[in-house]
Amino acid sequence: MCGIVGYLGKQNATGILLEGLKRLEYRGYDSSGLAVLDSGGLEVTKRVGRVKELLAAVKKSPSQAKMGICHTRWATHGGVTEENAHPHLSSDGKISLVLNGVIENYNPIRKFLTSKGYTFYSETDTEVLCNLIAYHYAKEIDSPSDGGTRFSQSVRKALHHVEGTYGLAALCADCPDEMVGARHGSPLILGVGNDEMLLASDVSALVSRTPNVVYLNDGELVHIRGNNFTISTHESEDVQPVINTVDWDVSEGEIGDFDHFMLKEIFEQPEALENAMRGRFSQDQSTAKFGGLNVTPQELRQIDRILLCACGTAWHACLTIEFLIEKYARIPVEVEYASEFRYRNAPLDKNTLVLVVSQSGETIDTLAALKESKRKGYTTLAITNGVGSTIARESDGGIYQHAGPEIGVASTKAFTSQLVIGAMLALYLGRLRDLSFNEGAEMVIGLKEVPDLVRKIVQQSEHIHTIAKKYVHKQDFLFLGRLSMFPIALEGALKLKEISYIHAEGYPAAEMKHGPIALISEDCPSVFIATEPDTVSKVISNMQEVKARKGQLIIVRSESCEMPDGLADDEVVIPDCHPAVAPILACIPVQLLSYYIAVERGCDVDKPRNLAKSVTVE
Ligand code: M6R
């Protein structure tokens, strides 16, 4: 959560910083702030609300400064106020700091600094670290032995005393050509431009200035001086930087003619799915192939068990992937919430493969689960959309989604792209075991049909919009589906909760009668998802149970799952398809239904309250 940007160069810093910050708003958007440094010293502006409030504030007193730092906040310590917004300024006015993360031992440090005469104006842990840097700066000599400067050394010394996670950028009032960044657990990227250096939480904030980036690793500090930079560990060991060239089309992150990024991303799913599959089928069209797994077919044949770990929507993707791998590859799979797994010390078989799934590649719980698995010696793979992300770099191998930037906080195209990759992985693992050539070839045909089938479903968006209008004032929803449709029910409920603030629950359809049926009334509609002819008669029985209790039925069904006349109050029919890809198709109507209900309720769809897209704190 929280996004940070830093700039040091020859151009006016404010515009560059705020343009970058707008691209990071998805990481947090309850308040924002900017500190610039010029001959007049450090000047800090903060506002509660979106970056546009900050933009309006800085327009009133434009600055000519060529360096600065800025921040968009998702509150962790302290309420949403201007005082708690970043950048913080040390009470002696020397240091300004923006931070993404949590300083866990801020309390004793705050007490110590208070006893030394430092004053605090906010409730935040960041202000504590800011003053700790100022404390060391005041004590530090001008030419420290590590070759850095008094400022860089004071940041390093302060960081030796903190516990927690951070990605940070700092300025010092006395140092008009220096900026210091550091990371431990929260992402930080250095952009190396023409006569300018940038720091950001995410490449999207700096690619409009430069494609050349250095991904900092945990425990590293970057010291920028004018046009030069050095990277070292917190223990002062030099690090040889690796400059990567980012292949990123800035226009992909623009909203275009759509009202919301979420709608744009729902409509982009055919292309996202094509990109996930491009070049990933074998020449004989009977299996999938992946370039970056770094695990041989022989090693994969030794796997007895797969553990899937993720959070949120990616966890729902894992539930679907579990179903697919068990069905097509016959390998036992377990799915864990990453946040639980990291502390659970679960016993794993020695031939377990750990696969984490994360759109951003930066979710701290998923990263921690990955690291814990690596520490125990398991082979780790990742499915992620975050090229160069921490999870991509920390895992032994993996599969990039290539879904393009997902800006809407509610995940849509990243989810379906994870599902298509999951189906291809199940195919690949299956073909290494007992799945026949013909079964494999049928699956490849089924996978290749998906983008066009999804195109047909999004064409029904106006029909789904009309349905949404009928249910806009309901306060409770059930989402129900069996087998591979159960994760889609969970995902439908999550989408609705996230962006409409309507209470919704996802259940396996047959479980309804063991409790949730008590919720059924005229005021609690049920969304049933039925695509499997084998179980449709059972699901119809569950629908009848709802109907008998005056519950309204919105049915998402495949063409061949025919319903008794008059059963559905509303219905969306999706094309028949290979069963491995049915969850992808079934997901599109529930995404659109949630989207239009949220729009009709006047909700801020792309930036729902309390949520951040990338959760980089525990
Ligand atoms: O970036 P990740 O896929 O690791 O993010 C995991 C969750 O935070 C994310 O899926 C979240 O649940 C979204 N808001 C879902 O729409």
Side-chain angles (χ1 to χ4, degrees):
M1 335 287 252
C2 303
I4 66 180
V5 191
Y7 176 82
L8 195 165
K10 301 226 170 349
Q11 308 296 316
N12 186 307
T14 305
I16 295 169
L17 287 167
L18 292 184
E19 191 207 316
L21 201 60
K22 272 199 276 177
R23 293 187 189 277
L24 293 187
E25 240 189 332
Y26 73 87
R27 300 176 68 89
Y29 36 77
D30 55 36
S31 50
S32 57
L34 169 91
V36 289
L37 176 60
D38 61 12
S39 51
L42 278 165
E43 191 185 323
V44 179
T45 313
K46 308 190 214 182
R47 285 294 178 272
V48 167
R50 302 287 157 85
V51 172
K52 65 175 192 247
E53 312 295 339
L54 181 64
L55 197 63
V58 295
K59 265 191 185 155
K60 285 184 191 151
S61 51
S63 145
Q64 299 306 314
K66 307 284 191 292
M67 63 188 294
I69 52 178
C70 62
H71 184 272
T72 179
R73 181 168 188 245
W74 186 87
T76 53
H77 283 73
V80 180
T81 62
E82 254 176 44
E83 290 73 30
N84 289 338
H86 304 207
H88 288 282
L89 196 57
S90 58
S91 64
D92 61 7
K94 291 288 184 193
I95 305 292
S96 185
L97 180 71
V98 289
L99 180 137
N100 169 28
V102 176
I103 304 302
E104 288 166 1
N105 60 337
Y106 74 101
N107 213 11
I109 299 174
R110 185 175 169 134
K111 280 188 187 147
F112 167 77
L113 291 169
T114 306
S115 74
K116 297 287 176 195
Y118 287 83
T119 314
F120 294 90
Y121 303 95
S122 79
E123 305 156 273
T124 68
D125 50 348
T126 303
E127 192 189 16
V128 173
L129 177 56
C130 185
N131 280 290
L132 187 63
I133 296 170
Y135 167 78
H136 284 285
Y137 182 73
K139 291 203 317 180
E140 201 52 57
I141 53 168
D142 269 338
S143 305
S145 55
D146 74 342
T149 61
R150 180 177 168 191
F151 173 37
S152 66
Q153 188 66 348
S154 62
V155 177
R156 191 189 306 284
K157 287 210 168 150
L159 292 178
H160 281 156
H161 296 281
V162 303
E163 290 160 17
T165 56
Y166 50 81
L168 62 83
L171 298 179
C172 174
D174 299 338
C175 311
D177 69 342
E178 288 185 56
M179 181 160 65
V180 176
R183 84 158 267 176
H184 183 71
S186 298
L188 191 68
I189 295 154
L190 171 72
V192 183
N194 282 335
D195 282 342
E196 58 189 25
M197 297 282 170
L198 297 105
L199 290 173
S201 310
D202 178 330
V203 283
S204 63
L206 44 77
V207 280
S208 66
R209 306 295 308 175
T210 176
N212 303 320
V213 303
V214 179
Y215 297 102
L216 293 191
N217 292 308
D218 278 350
E220 288 180 357
L221 183 145
V222 55
H223 181 201
I224 300 168
R225 295 186 79 178
N227 234 351
N228 299 310
F229 70 93
T230 51
I231 299 180
S232 51
T233 65
H234 289 359
E235 284 70 42
S236 304
E237 290 150 3
D238 287 344
V239 173
Q240 203 49 45
V242 180
I243 301 185
N244 301 270
T245 306
V246 186
D247 178 17
W248 182 295
D249 178 357
V250 180
S251 67
E252 280 187 77
E254 309 288 341
I255 197 160
D257 293 335
F258 288 89
D259 289 339
H260 297 100
F261 276 107
M262 182 178 174
L263 188 63
K264 174 179 183 247
E265 287 154 9
I266 291 173
F267 274 76
E268 279 174 349
Q269 288 177 105
E271 292 74 35
L273 294 162
E274 275 162 357
N275 290 342
M277 289 189 277
R278 181 162 296 119
R280 285 180 169 162
F281 292 116
S282 64
Q283 209 171 2
D284 68 3
Q285 301 289 298
S286 78
T287 188
K289 57 176 186 171
F290 301 102
L293 285 186
N294 300 334
V295 192
T296 65
Q298 290 75 11
E299 285 165 339
L300 286 172
R301 266 196 292 270
Q302 303 305 315
I303 298 294
D304 290 333
R305 188 168 287 275
I306 297 177
L307 176 79
L308 298 176
C309 257
C311 304
T313 285
W315 184 80
H316 297 156
C318 289
L319 291 180
T320 312
I321 298 170
E322 171 189 32
F323 181 89
L324 295 168
I325 292 179
E326 291 194 339
K327 178 168 177 177
Y328 295 104
R330 310 296 301 155
I331 302 172
V333 178
E334 280 170 55
V335 180
E336 291 261 5
Y337 284 113
S339 53
E340 294 290 303
F341 174 76
R342 60 182 294 193
Y343 291 117
R344 220 163 62 77
N345 200 17
L348 300 180
D349 293 348
K350 75 174 173 352
N351 291 332
T352 300
L353 173 76
V354 177
L355 172 62
V356 302
V357 180
S358 170
Q359 187 284 129
S360 60
E362 300 292 350
T363 299
I364 194 122
D365 288 321
T366 310
L367 178 60
L370 170 70
K371 285 184 173 170
E372 177 63 7
S373 310
K374 269 179 78 174
R375 192 190 61 74
K376 289 181 170 165
Y378 293 99
T379 301
T380 58
L381 298 180
I383 297 175
T384 181
N385 198 31
V387 175
S389 61
T390 313
I391 285 176
R393 288 179 294 124
E394 290 278 339
S395 50
D396 296 315
I399 306 170
Y400 275 130
Q401 297 181 224
H402 301 308
E406 191 180 66
I407 312 287
V409 166
S411 187
T412 51
K413 65 174 180 176
F415 176 65
T416 48
S417 127
Q418 287 158 0
L419 299 191
V420 86
I421 289 170
M424 287 193 292
L425 186 62
L427 165 65
Y428 176 64
L429 295 172
R431 292 284 290 124
L432 292 180
R433 297 183 178 221
D434 296 330
L435 201 70
S436 72
F437 178 91
N438 284 345
E439 287 168 317
E442 271 173 29
M443 215 161 144
V444 171
I445 292 169
L447 281 158
K448 287 184 160 181
E449 283 172 354
V450 176
D452 280 340
L453 298 181
V454 171
R455 278 186 189 98
K456 284 189 184 149
I457 301 171
V458 293
Q459 279 166 14
Q460 297 192 57
S461 64
E462 269 320 301
H463 167 57
I464 297 170
H465 193 168
T466 309
I467 297 175
K469 285 180 185 164
K470 281 176 63 180
Y471 297 90
V472 111
H473 299 298
K474 303 291 180 194
Q475 283 308 326
D476 295 284
F477 273 74
L478 286 179
F479 284 76
L480 301 151
R482 291 186 84 120
L483 304 173
S484 66
M485 293 304 134
F486 166 51
I488 304 306
L490 288 173
E491 177 62 6
L494 179 65
K495 288 286 89 87
L496 193 64
K497 274 186 273 211
E498 281 186 300
I499 58 171
S500 307
Y501 321 135
I502 293 173
H503 167 245
E505 291 189 40
Y507 263 92
E511 271 296 299
M512 181 192 65
K513 57 187 174 293
H514 299 287
I517 197 166
L519 294 172
I520 302 291
S521 74
E522 285 163 342
D523 294 325
C524 176
S526 296
V527 180
F528 272 89
I529 307 155
T531 63
E532 299 191 0
D534 290 354
T535 52
V536 72
S537 60
K538 307 287 177 203
V539 180
I540 289 172
S541 302
N542 301 139
M543 294 172 183
Q544 302 281 18
E545 287 155 10
V546 169
K547 200 75 181 170
R549 288 160 183 84
K550 298 195 167 50
Q552 287 161 300
L553 287 174
I554 304 166
I555 299 176
V556 176
R557 67 168 179 91
S558 58
E559 279 161 0
S560 56
C561 285
E562 287 185 15
M563 295 291 138
D565 287 345
L567 183 61
D569 291 282
D570 288 286
E571 177 174 83
V572 182
V573 182
I574 60 173
D576 285 333
C577 59
H578 191 286
V581 297
I584 301 173
L585 303 196
C587 186
I588 315 294
V590 294
Q591 291 172 345
L592 284 165
L593 184 69
S594 303
Y595 170 77
Y596 285 119
I597 290 177
V599 168
E600 290 298 324
R601 287 166 74 99
C603 298
D604 190 345
V605 172
D606 284 334
K607 296 188 179 71
R609 72 180 181 209
N610 304 339
L611 286 175
K613 180 136 189 89
S614 187
V615 184
T616 55
V617 291
E618 272 199 76

